[in-house]
Amino acid sequence: MEVVISSSPTESYQIVASIFQSYILDHLDEKCVLGLATGSSPQGVYDELIRRFQFNELSFSHVNAFLLDEYLGLPPDHPQLYARYIRDVFISHLDMPNQNLHYPQVTQLNTGDISTICTDYEKKLRQIGPIGLQILGIGSNGHIGFNEPGSSLGSRTRIKTLSPITRTDNARFFSSEQDVPVHVITQGLGTILESQHIVLIAQGKQKASAIAQMIEGPVTINCPASVLQFHPHVTVVIDPEAASFLSNSSYYQFVQANKPDWQDKY
Ligand code: F6R
């Protein structure tokens, strides 16, 4: 796991946008598949990528993208439905074909259809994937996707119940906490681990404890993000506040300052 401590959230967005740009430009003639998270942590990255697209620095016309998770129980036109949200804030500003965005089809839900939605989504991942570059945020309780503490480390796409902490944290996107859905469909931890390169971005003090547990704690279902310790290519990009509970930050900074010329920057 590579830990990059930036000087500010803005610098983190630049770093992660550059990782995306390199991946997209390196995959012009081959499979180019992104994994996208929603929530506030990656928004600055998406804004920066839109800016670079508008300056003709890259195109998304050959890109496929998979959403990590989706709320259950929201009406099809709800602005917080993640498939709609990611279109509004990101995809609709790019030249990526609409049909290249893939997500759990929850609006087609009839009673009893959840497992079909999950298997269809996993099937699509197998057909179009694997995901070459996955961006993740992290919950204050250590979730990734919506794999709440207690999630099986090998889990696949399935329904999950949000924890009270996550519903409180996400209430800022809804009129009230009661309006935050209780259930979601999320890629499992085993599904996420199949992405080839994972970049996790976090900012702010409220993420510091989860970040320290993920990087320096034991691998445990109590901090689902700690499963990333098993993955061969993870880049964690955090600002100084999110890094503030780490014991080894000076070593991570030393590593970044002393990279051999032949090694990829991130
Ligand atoms: C969203 C997702 C979640 C968020 C996490 C952090 O698609 O998968 O894991 O990344 O809840 O949310 P923010 O970034 O809003 O703090």
Side-chain angles (χ1 to χ4, degrees):
M1 195 179 283
E2 179 156 28
V3 181
V4 181
I5 303 173
S6 66
S7 58
S8 65
T10 308
E11 197 198 4
S12 297
Y13 304 145
Q14 297 283 342
I15 292 169
V16 178
S18 295
I19 295 173
F20 268 74
Q21 184 167 356
S22 302
Y23 171 75
I24 291 168
L25 294 178
D26 285 350
H27 292 78
L28 291 177
D29 299 319
E30 46 189 312
K31 214 177 245 198
C32 185
V33 187
L34 302 176
L36 303 177
T38 42
S40 51
S41 306
Q43 189 54 54
V45 177
Y46 299 152
D47 292 342
E48 177 58 19
L49 285 168
I50 292 169
R51 197 192 66 75
R52 294 185 191 191
F53 165 71
Q54 286 166 345
F55 279 87
N56 288 324
E57 292 175 32
L58 78 167
S59 159
F60 290 76
S61 59
H62 62 301
V63 169
N64 273 276
F66 281 83
L67 270 192
L68 252 187
D69 40 25
E70 184 57 283
Y71 285 121
L72 281 168
L74 295 178
D77 57 347
H78 197 287
Q80 285 304 320
L81 205 60
Y82 280 163
R84 170 163 174 189
Y85 176 85
I86 202 80
R87 278 211 168 91
D88 287 351
V89 304
F90 189 37
I91 308 293
S92 64
H93 303 272
L94 309 171
D95 60 348
M96 193 180 112
N98 231 349
Q99 69 274 17
N100 287 12
L101 178 67
H102 313 284
Y103 46 89
Q105 300 284 333
V106 298
T107 51
Q108 291 170 12
L109 184 65
N110 300 312
T111 317
D113 268 354
I114 288 179
S115 66
T116 312
I117 293 169
C118 298
T119 42
D120 285 353
Y121 174 82
E122 288 262 347
K123 208 186 287 170
K124 201 144 254 153
L125 259 176
R126 280 195 300 279
Q127 283 162 356
I128 296 171
I131 290 171
L133 179 61
Q134 171 71 56
I135 186 166
L136 295 178
I138 185 170
S140 58
N141 62 357
H143 72 223
I144 49 174
F146 276 132
N147 295 281
E148 298 286 30
S151 294
S152 307
L153 300 183
S155 48
R156 310 299 306 183
T157 303
R158 69 216 183 290
I159 184 171
K160 283 296 288 182
T161 305
L162 291 182
S163 73
I165 296 172
T166 302
R167 292 187 72 234
T168 306
D169 286 349
N170 285 9
R172 67 194 194 281
F173 299 115
F174 292 84
S175 319
S176 74
E177 193 169 324
Q178 283 95 301
D179 292 337
V180 181
V182 172
H183 295 111
V184 293
I185 287 181
T186 181
Q187 275 191 29
L189 294 171
T191 320
I192 293 173
L193 288 178
E194 284 169 7
S195 302
Q196 292 167 331
H197 181 190
I198 295 175
V199 178
L200 186 144
I201 183 166
Q203 310 90 32
K205 200 107 209 166
Q206 75 279 14
K207 301 291 173 70
S209 164
I211 287 290
Q213 288 178 62
M214 169 182 80
I215 298 172
E216 295 176 344
V219 174
T220 162
I221 57 171
N222 296 327
C223 176
S226 64
V227 77
L228 298 178
Q229 292 177 30
F230 285 129
H231 192 281
H233 193 186
V234 175
T235 311
V236 179
V237 183
I238 43 181
D239 73 345
E241 286 195 348
S244 58
F245 289 1
L246 289 170
S247 309
N248 295 324
S249 3
S250 51
Y251 173 66
Y252 308 135
Q253 281 160 329
F254 180 78
V255 170
Q256 288 303 313
N258 291 282
K259 280 217 151 177
D261 293 338
W262 50 264
Q263 201 174 26
D264 280 351
K265 197 145 183 248
Y266 302 111

